[in-house]
Amino acid sequence: MPRITVPAPEKILFTAEIPVTIGDINYGGHLANDAVLRLCHETRVRWLAANGWSELDAGGAGLIMADAAVRYHAQVRHGDGLAVEMGAADIGRGGFNLLYRIVRVSDGLKIAEVQTGMACFDYAAQKVCRLPETLKTALEAV
């Protein structure tokens, strides 16, 4: 079976260290699929907050996730500390991709690579909108 490829971030915009809680664990005793996207969401929200923004106003536009892809490399257990590194790619007129590399802090083992396609969104008008220049500048930093 061919596996999807998810590019690793070339430049790291932000890193969040996040512990794995019991709510992140599935019946198999390891990190649940949905928890991986929550970890990425938490990292994205922390990066936005560090820039004085939120998902409802990221430099003049809201953000909405259009798609996501995950490639798993190793299991994670309750109590493991993770570093979620985030970078950006494919910055366009109305959106961009965020790329995440998740590694276990204790040994540096790569756990997963994730890509989320983010669209700029006007929540008041309920439609996509242009990427604000301030957000574009922040995504291209580093």
Side-chain angles (χ1 to χ4, degrees):
M1 167 180 88
R3 298 197 55 199
I4 64 169
T5 56
V6 176
E10 290 182 19
K11 299 177 186 176
I12 305 302
L13 289 174
F14 189 80
T15 301
E17 289 200 12
I18 305 172
V20 176
T21 67
I22 195 63
D24 298 326
I25 301 301
N26 67 13
Y27 58 87
H30 56 253
L31 187 65
N33 296 324
D34 61 315
V36 172
L37 285 179
R38 280 196 314 271
L39 292 169
C40 294
H41 187 195
E42 179 67 27
T43 302
R44 182 172 63 249
V45 167
R46 289 183 188 188
W47 175 75
L48 289 166
N51 283 285
W53 299 329
S54 72
E55 289 188 314
L56 296 176
D57 184 1
L63 298 177
I64 193 166
M65 187 185 302
D67 54 47
V70 180
R71 181 157 184 192
Y72 301 97
H73 295 279
Q75 295 184 56
V76 174
R77 306 282 182 207
H78 175 249
D80 284 345
L82 301 177
V84 184
E85 302 168 334
M86 186 188 84
D90 305 317
I91 301 166
R93 293 188 343 217
F96 52 92
N97 286 327
L98 291 176
L99 306 174
Y100 309 83
R101 179 177 35 241
I102 303 173
V103 299
R104 187 168 38 227
V105 173
S106 64
D107 59 7
L109 182 66
K110 181 170 52 175
I111 303 304
E113 293 162 321
V114 182
Q115 176 177 304
T116 59
M118 305 303 295
C120 294
F121 195 75
D122 181 334
Y123 279 92
Q126 288 292 293
K127 64 180 186 176
V128 294
C129 62
R130 292 189 69 82
L131 178 76
E133 195 60 39
T134 54
L135 177 54
K136 182 179 183 213
T137 300
L139 291 166
E140 292 173 340
V142 179

